[in-house]
Amino acid sequence: MCSSGTTSRWSTGPDGRQDDGDESVVEHWTEGEIDKTAFKDARLGQRFGELLKQIGDGMGGSIPFACQDWANTKAAYRFFANERVEEADILGGHFAATRARYDDCTGPILLIQDTTEFSYQRANTSAIGLTKSVNSGRDKDGRWRHHTVCGMLMHSSLAVTVEGLPLGLAAVKFWTRKKFKGTAQLKKKINPTRVPIEKKESVRWLDNLRQSIERLGQPERCIHIGDRESDIYELYCLTQELGAHFLVRACVDRLAGDGGHTIATEMEETSVKGLHFIDVRNDKGETTKAALEIKFKRIAVLPPIGKQKRYPALDLTIIHATERGTPKGRKPIEWKLITDLAVRGRSEAIEKINWYAMRWKIEVFHKILKSGCKAEDSKLRTAERLANLMAVFCILSWRVLWLTMLNRIAPDASPKLALTDTEIALLDQLISGAGHRRCRPGTLAFYLTKLARLGGYLARAGDLPPGNVVIWRGLSRLTDIELGAEIASAGNVGN
């Protein structure tokens, strides 16, 4: 468990009860995510502090909407266009705050990596770059048409506890592709496994892991989590070199044992070690039970043939979770995981499966970026300016996800972990009760449910805990209400 707040510290003892520490509430949550000294000019650090608060209070709106007047809007545009401002400066304070939250935790931490794309409509794509080429159908002569998509890519590493609480970002990389290299044609001439990882775009997985470990420390606690795109042998070797661990969904059927067979061959001969039942929701929202057959085995895994002189063989654990039977209306679940961690029984295999399931948290983080912050609606003209803006949005998106998950993981914590005294008082005036009987008055869940109700959450008896959408809507409304309360208070003072 960990001390998860940015405004106060708390911990949970072995008996599950909360121990409250000294609560020193900051004036605004953004102060804990800013390092003004990271900038090359103190004035830039001051401007960023104001800008993060403005954009956070106007989350989802344009820069003019967040800044409200031309002077502040012009200052924001100048900040994002300033050649002395980089995304590393903007995220420096957040990285440090992530490290502080990491240090307050005990036990393993999941470093979840993934890539997302931001697409933009631009007449001139050269100032931003390209992300991919897509098939846009056939022309009148029946020939396939292709067009390139203007945009940028982001590869991020999100530090998450095994309970699912996001501590923050540990590494972020932004980039664009100026042109395409004809990857499909290249595969016809050369085996991609023979190309050094340093010459591939996939080196980003290794770079982010190195940066994350460097920022967080205690590598033995860090477990890299990645989807099939991160099934990279060089990454496995790097985690061993750094003293960290990995848990990845396998994509490649690698050579195993003496090299005369593959992982799949050994797993076919491995008996089922037990069943694991999970709830699965279909497209209609209906929930059913699925029975997963669990297999696991420790196997000697070999590097690709073209890289066997450079990388050693590794003893790794293979975990297969395959759904029993044929479900209706969806594909059967089939997870093939590979990890350097030991698995000594069914319970440990299920534990690793649950850890991998936490990978969905980074997908939710990306959804908040695009739907909550509306990252793809920006009209900034260059990749550098967009990267600076996306760095700001990353901090805001983490905040929303953190609030949502903190409500579920520590519902009985102090509300001052997430809200100021003023916000708590306003919520008490606006909404008489949380609506849920299971929310104990005065707790974090009690007030975050009130906040979610401002965002459209109904708080009916059978409703699930509030999600990200109603949380960010509620935050936006509360900000407007707080501003109105300040104006009214100032007017009363003046009278």
Side-chain angles (χ1 to χ4, degrees), residues 39-60:
F39 293 86
K40 299 175 179 64
D41 188 315
R43 292 170 296 180
L44 292 174
Q46 183 65 31
R47 169 53 59 186
F48 172 59
E50 298 169 0
L51 191 58
L52 180 61
K53 185 177 184 300
Q54 289 171 338
I55 295 179
D57 291 345
M59 183 174 172

PDB file of all heavy atoms in Angstrom, residues 39-60:
ATOM      1  N   PHE A  39      13.035  25.020 -15.612  1.00  0.00           N
ATOM      2  CA  PHE A  39      13.052  25.846 -16.815  1.00  0.00           C
ATOM      3  C   PHE A  39      14.319  26.693 -16.864  1.00  0.00           C
ATOM      4  O   PHE A  39      14.916  27.017 -15.839  1.00  0.00           O
ATOM      5  CB  PHE A  39      11.814  26.740 -16.851  1.00  0.00           C
ATOM      6  CG  PHE A  39      10.533  25.986 -17.024  1.00  0.00           C
ATOM      7  CD1 PHE A  39       9.865  25.467 -15.921  1.00  0.00           C
ATOM      8  CD2 PHE A  39      10.001  25.769 -18.284  1.00  0.00           C
ATOM      9  CE1 PHE A  39       8.679  24.757 -16.072  1.00  0.00           C
ATOM     10  CE2 PHE A  39       8.831  25.057 -18.454  1.00  0.00           C
ATOM     11  CZ  PHE A  39       8.166  24.548 -17.338  1.00  0.00           C
ATOM     12  N   LYS A  40      14.699  27.060 -18.078  1.00  0.00           N
ATOM     13  CA  LYS A  40      15.925  27.836 -18.290  1.00  0.00           C
ATOM     14  C   LYS A  40      15.785  29.279 -17.845  1.00  0.00           C
ATOM     15  O   LYS A  40      16.774  29.985 -17.715  1.00  0.00           O
ATOM     16  CB  LYS A  40      16.330  27.752 -19.768  1.00  0.00           C
ATOM     17  CG  LYS A  40      16.614  26.333 -20.240  1.00  0.00           C
ATOM     18  CD  LYS A  40      16.883  26.283 -21.720  1.00  0.00           C
ATOM     19  CE  LYS A  40      17.198  24.850 -22.177  1.00  0.00           C
ATOM     20  NZ  LYS A  40      16.064  23.936 -21.990  1.00  0.00           N
ATOM     21  N   ASP A  41      14.567  29.709 -17.638  1.00  0.00           N
ATOM     22  CA  ASP A  41      14.297  31.070 -17.202  1.00  0.00           C
ATOM     23  C   ASP A  41      13.230  30.999 -16.113  1.00  0.00           C
ATOM     24  O   ASP A  41      12.197  30.327 -16.279  1.00  0.00           O
ATOM     25  CB  ASP A  41      13.793  31.911 -18.378  1.00  0.00           C
ATOM     26  CG  ASP A  41      13.678  33.394 -18.040  1.00  0.00           C
ATOM     27  OD1 ASP A  41      13.157  33.713 -16.953  1.00  0.00           O
ATOM     28  OD2 ASP A  41      14.104  34.227 -18.866  1.00  0.00           O
ATOM     29  N   ALA A  42      13.439  31.692 -14.989  1.00  0.00           N
ATOM     30  CA  ALA A  42      12.495  31.640 -13.877  1.00  0.00           C
ATOM     31  C   ALA A  42      11.118  32.142 -14.289  1.00  0.00           C
ATOM     32  O   ALA A  42      10.094  31.673 -13.779  1.00  0.00           O
ATOM     33  CB  ALA A  42      13.028  32.472 -12.715  1.00  0.00           C
ATOM     34  N   ARG A  43      11.084  33.073 -15.255  1.00  0.00           N
ATOM     35  CA  ARG A  43       9.800  33.600 -15.710  1.00  0.00           C
ATOM     36  C   ARG A  43       8.991  32.537 -16.440  1.00  0.00           C
ATOM     37  O   ARG A  43       7.756  32.527 -16.371  1.00  0.00           O
ATOM     38  CB  ARG A  43      10.020  34.812 -16.613  1.00  0.00           C
ATOM     39  CG  ARG A  43      10.586  36.041 -15.874  1.00  0.00           C
ATOM     40  CD  ARG A  43      11.007  37.124 -16.837  1.00  0.00           C
ATOM     41  NE  ARG A  43      12.101  36.672 -17.690  1.00  0.00           N
ATOM     42  CZ  ARG A  43      12.666  37.427 -18.629  1.00  0.00           C
ATOM     43  NH1 ARG A  43      12.223  38.665 -18.842  1.00  0.00           N
ATOM     44  NH2 ARG A  43      13.664  36.960 -19.357  1.00  0.00           N
ATOM     45  N   LEU A  44       9.685  31.636 -17.136  1.00  0.00           N
ATOM     46  CA  LEU A  44       8.983  30.539 -17.809  1.00  0.00           C
ATOM     47  C   LEU A  44       8.368  29.590 -16.788  1.00  0.00           C
ATOM     48  O   LEU A  44       7.257  29.080 -16.982  1.00  0.00           O
ATOM     49  CB  LEU A  44       9.958  29.780 -18.717  1.00  0.00           C
ATOM     50  CG  LEU A  44      10.473  30.535 -19.948  1.00  0.00           C
ATOM     51  CD1 LEU A  44      11.541  29.716 -20.665  1.00  0.00           C
ATOM     52  CD2 LEU A  44       9.325  30.855 -20.904  1.00  0.00           C
ATOM     53  N   GLY A  45       9.082  29.325 -15.696  1.00  0.00           N
ATOM     54  CA  GLY A  45       8.536  28.475 -14.643  1.00  0.00           C
ATOM     55  C   GLY A  45       7.304  29.089 -14.008  1.00  0.00           C
ATOM     56  O   GLY A  45       6.314  28.385 -13.730  1.00  0.00           O
ATOM     57  N   GLN A  46       7.337  30.400 -13.801  1.00  0.00           N
ATOM     58  CA  GLN A  46       6.184  31.099 -13.237  1.00  0.00           C
ATOM     59  C   GLN A  46       4.996  31.046 -14.192  1.00  0.00           C
ATOM     60  O   GLN A  46       3.863  30.804 -13.775  1.00  0.00           O
ATOM     61  CB  GLN A  46       6.559  32.558 -12.946  1.00  0.00           C
ATOM     62  CG  GLN A  46       5.450  33.363 -12.289  1.00  0.00           C
ATOM     63  CD  GLN A  46       5.107  32.871 -10.904  1.00  0.00           C
ATOM     64  OE1 GLN A  46       5.973  32.355 -10.191  1.00  0.00           O
ATOM     65  NE2 GLN A  46       3.839  32.998 -10.516  1.00  0.00           N
ATOM     66  N   ARG A  47       5.269  31.269 -15.479  1.00  0.00           N
ATOM     67  CA  ARG A  47       4.204  31.224 -16.480  1.00  0.00           C
ATOM     68  C   ARG A  47       3.588  29.825 -16.555  1.00  0.00           C
ATOM     69  O   ARG A  47       2.369  29.676 -16.663  1.00  0.00           O
ATOM     70  CB  ARG A  47       4.767  31.646 -17.841  1.00  0.00           C
ATOM     71  CG  ARG A  47       3.841  31.390 -19.038  1.00  0.00           C
ATOM     72  CD  ARG A  47       2.479  31.974 -18.873  1.00  0.00           C
ATOM     73  NE  ARG A  47       2.492  33.423 -18.686  1.00  0.00           N
ATOM     74  CZ  ARG A  47       1.400  34.135 -18.400  1.00  0.00           C
ATOM     75  NH1 ARG A  47       0.236  33.536 -18.244  1.00  0.00           N
ATOM     76  NH2 ARG A  47       1.493  35.439 -18.251  1.00  0.00           N
ATOM     77  N   PHE A  48       4.426  28.788 -16.488  1.00  0.00           N
ATOM     78  CA  PHE A  48       3.904  27.421 -16.549  1.00  0.00           C
ATOM     79  C   PHE A  48       2.986  27.132 -15.366  1.00  0.00           C
ATOM     80  O   PHE A  48       1.947  26.488 -15.519  1.00  0.00           O
ATOM     81  CB  PHE A  48       5.045  26.407 -16.580  1.00  0.00           C
ATOM     82  CG  PHE A  48       4.579  24.984 -16.441  1.00  0.00           C
ATOM     83  CD1 PHE A  48       3.689  24.431 -17.342  1.00  0.00           C
ATOM     84  CD2 PHE A  48       5.014  24.202 -15.375  1.00  0.00           C
ATOM     85  CE1 PHE A  48       3.245  23.130 -17.209  1.00  0.00           C
ATOM     86  CE2 PHE A  48       4.578  22.893 -15.226  1.00  0.00           C
ATOM     87  CZ  PHE A  48       3.688  22.351 -16.144  1.00  0.00           C
ATOM     88  N   GLY A  49       3.357  27.608 -14.176  1.00  0.00           N
ATOM     89  CA  GLY A  49       2.507  27.393 -13.012  1.00  0.00           C
ATOM     90  C   GLY A  49       1.120  27.974 -13.212  1.00  0.00           C
ATOM     91  O   GLY A  49       0.104  27.347 -12.886  1.00  0.00           O
ATOM     92  N   GLU A  50       1.056  29.172 -13.772  1.00  0.00           N
ATOM     93  CA  GLU A  50      -0.231  29.813 -14.040  1.00  0.00           C
ATOM     94  C   GLU A  50      -0.984  29.083 -15.144  1.00  0.00           C
ATOM     95  O   GLU A  50      -2.208  28.900 -15.067  1.00  0.00           O
ATOM     96  CB  GLU A  50       0.002  31.275 -14.426  1.00  0.00           C
ATOM     97  CG  GLU A  50       0.653  32.110 -13.332  1.00  0.00           C
ATOM     98  CD  GLU A  50       1.100  33.470 -13.827  1.00  0.00           C
ATOM     99  OE1 GLU A  50       0.897  33.753 -15.033  1.00  0.00           O
ATOM    100  OE2 GLU A  50       1.665  34.248 -13.026  1.00  0.00           O
ATOM    101  N   LEU A  51      -0.239  28.646 -16.166  1.00  0.00           N
ATOM    102  CA  LEU A  51      -0.860  28.012 -17.327  1.00  0.00           C
ATOM    103  C   LEU A  51      -1.445  26.654 -16.980  1.00  0.00           C
ATOM    104  O   LEU A  51      -2.547  26.307 -17.427  1.00  0.00           O
ATOM    105  CB  LEU A  51       0.187  27.878 -18.436  1.00  0.00           C
ATOM    106  CG  LEU A  51      -0.298  27.490 -19.825  1.00  0.00           C
ATOM    107  CD1 LEU A  51      -1.332  28.495 -20.328  1.00  0.00           C
ATOM    108  CD2 LEU A  51       0.878  27.417 -20.788  1.00  0.00           C
ATOM    109  N   LEU A  52      -0.732  25.867 -16.170  1.00  0.00           N
ATOM    110  CA  LEU A  52      -1.235  24.548 -15.790  1.00  0.00           C
ATOM    111  C   LEU A  52      -2.538  24.683 -15.013  1.00  0.00           C
ATOM    112  O   LEU A  52      -3.481  23.908 -15.226  1.00  0.00           O
ATOM    113  CB  LEU A  52      -0.191  23.796 -14.964  1.00  0.00           C
ATOM    114  CG  LEU A  52      -0.583  22.382 -14.496  1.00  0.00           C
ATOM    115  CD1 LEU A  52      -0.857  21.478 -15.688  1.00  0.00           C
ATOM    116  CD2 LEU A  52       0.510  21.786 -13.608  1.00  0.00           C
ATOM    117  N   LYS A  53      -2.614  25.653 -14.150  1.00  0.00           N
ATOM    118  CA  LYS A  53      -3.846  25.881 -13.386  1.00  0.00           C
ATOM    119  C   LYS A  53      -4.970  26.323 -14.311  1.00  0.00           C
ATOM    120  O   LYS A  53      -6.107  25.838 -14.205  1.00  0.00           O
ATOM    121  CB  LYS A  53      -3.612  26.928 -12.304  1.00  0.00           C
ATOM    122  CG  LYS A  53      -4.807  27.135 -11.377  1.00  0.00           C
ATOM    123  CD  LYS A  53      -4.485  28.134 -10.296  1.00  0.00           C
ATOM    124  CE  LYS A  53      -5.653  28.257  -9.303  1.00  0.00           C
ATOM    125  NZ  LYS A  53      -6.901  28.710  -9.937  1.00  0.00           N
ATOM    126  N   GLN A  54      -4.684  27.233 -15.251  1.00  0.00           N
ATOM    127  CA  GLN A  54      -5.723  27.729 -16.156  1.00  0.00           C
ATOM    128  C   GLN A  54      -6.268  26.605 -17.037  1.00  0.00           C
ATOM    129  O   GLN A  54      -7.488  26.436 -17.171  1.00  0.00           O
ATOM    130  CB  GLN A  54      -5.153  28.845 -17.033  1.00  0.00           C
ATOM    131  CG  GLN A  54      -4.887  30.139 -16.287  1.00  0.00           C
ATOM    132  CD  GLN A  54      -4.133  31.145 -17.134  1.00  0.00           C
ATOM    133  OE1 GLN A  54      -3.460  30.789 -18.104  1.00  0.00           O
ATOM    134  NE2 GLN A  54      -4.234  32.423 -16.768  1.00  0.00           N
ATOM    135  N   ILE A  55      -5.371  25.838 -17.648  1.00  0.00           N
ATOM    136  CA  ILE A  55      -5.823  24.767 -18.543  1.00  0.00           C
ATOM    137  C   ILE A  55      -6.495  23.660 -17.745  1.00  0.00           C
ATOM    138  O   ILE A  55      -7.469  23.045 -18.195  1.00  0.00           O
ATOM    139  CB  ILE A  55      -4.636  24.222 -19.363  1.00  0.00           C
ATOM    140  CG1 ILE A  55      -4.106  25.313 -20.290  1.00  0.00           C
ATOM    141  CG2 ILE A  55      -5.049  22.997 -20.178  1.00  0.00           C
ATOM    142  CD1 ILE A  55      -2.912  24.894 -21.128  1.00  0.00           C
ATOM    143  N   GLY A  56      -6.006  23.389 -16.537  1.00  0.00           N
ATOM    144  CA  GLY A  56      -6.640  22.393 -15.685  1.00  0.00           C
ATOM    145  C   GLY A  56      -8.043  22.794 -15.285  1.00  0.00           C
ATOM    146  O   GLY A  56      -8.968  21.973 -15.292  1.00  0.00           O
ATOM    147  N   ASP A  57      -8.232  24.067 -14.965  1.00  0.00           N
ATOM    148  CA  ASP A  57      -9.562  24.552 -14.583  1.00  0.00           C
ATOM    149  C   ASP A  57     -10.510  24.585 -15.775  1.00  0.00           C
ATOM    150  O   ASP A  57     -11.733  24.512 -15.592  1.00  0.00           O
ATOM    151  CB  ASP A  57      -9.453  25.946 -13.965  1.00  0.00           C
ATOM    152  CG  ASP A  57      -8.770  25.930 -12.596  1.00  0.00           C
ATOM    153  OD1 ASP A  57      -8.647  24.835 -12.013  1.00  0.00           O
ATOM    154  OD2 ASP A  57      -8.360  27.004 -12.125  1.00  0.00           O
ATOM    155  N   GLY A  58      -9.952  24.702 -16.985  1.00  0.00           N
ATOM    156  CA  GLY A  58     -10.793  24.722 -18.183  1.00  0.00           C
ATOM    157  C   GLY A  58     -10.604  23.472 -19.025  1.00  0.00           C
ATOM    158  O   GLY A  58     -10.610  23.546 -20.254  1.00  0.00           O
ATOM    159  N   MET A  59     -10.415  22.332 -18.364  1.00  0.00           N
ATOM    160  CA  MET A  59     -10.102  21.080 -19.059  1.00  0.00           C
ATOM    161  C   MET A  59     -11.133  20.765 -20.144  1.00  0.00           C
ATOM    162  O   MET A  59     -12.339  20.805 -19.909  1.00  0.00           O
ATOM    163  CB  MET A  59     -10.054  19.936 -18.045  1.00  0.00           C
ATOM    164  CG  MET A  59      -9.662  18.602 -18.639  1.00  0.00           C
ATOM    165  SD  MET A  59      -9.458  17.356 -17.336  1.00  0.00           S
ATOM    166  CE  MET A  59      -9.259  15.876 -18.322  1.00  0.00           C
ATOM    167  N   GLY A  60     -10.633  20.482 -21.335  1.00  0.00           N
ATOM    168  CA  GLY A  60     -11.497  20.153 -22.458  1.00  0.00           C
ATOM    169  C   GLY A  60     -11.779  21.336 -23.363  1.00  0.00           C
ATOM    170  O   GLY A  60     -12.279  21.164 -24.473  1.00  0.00           O
TER     171      GLY A  60
END
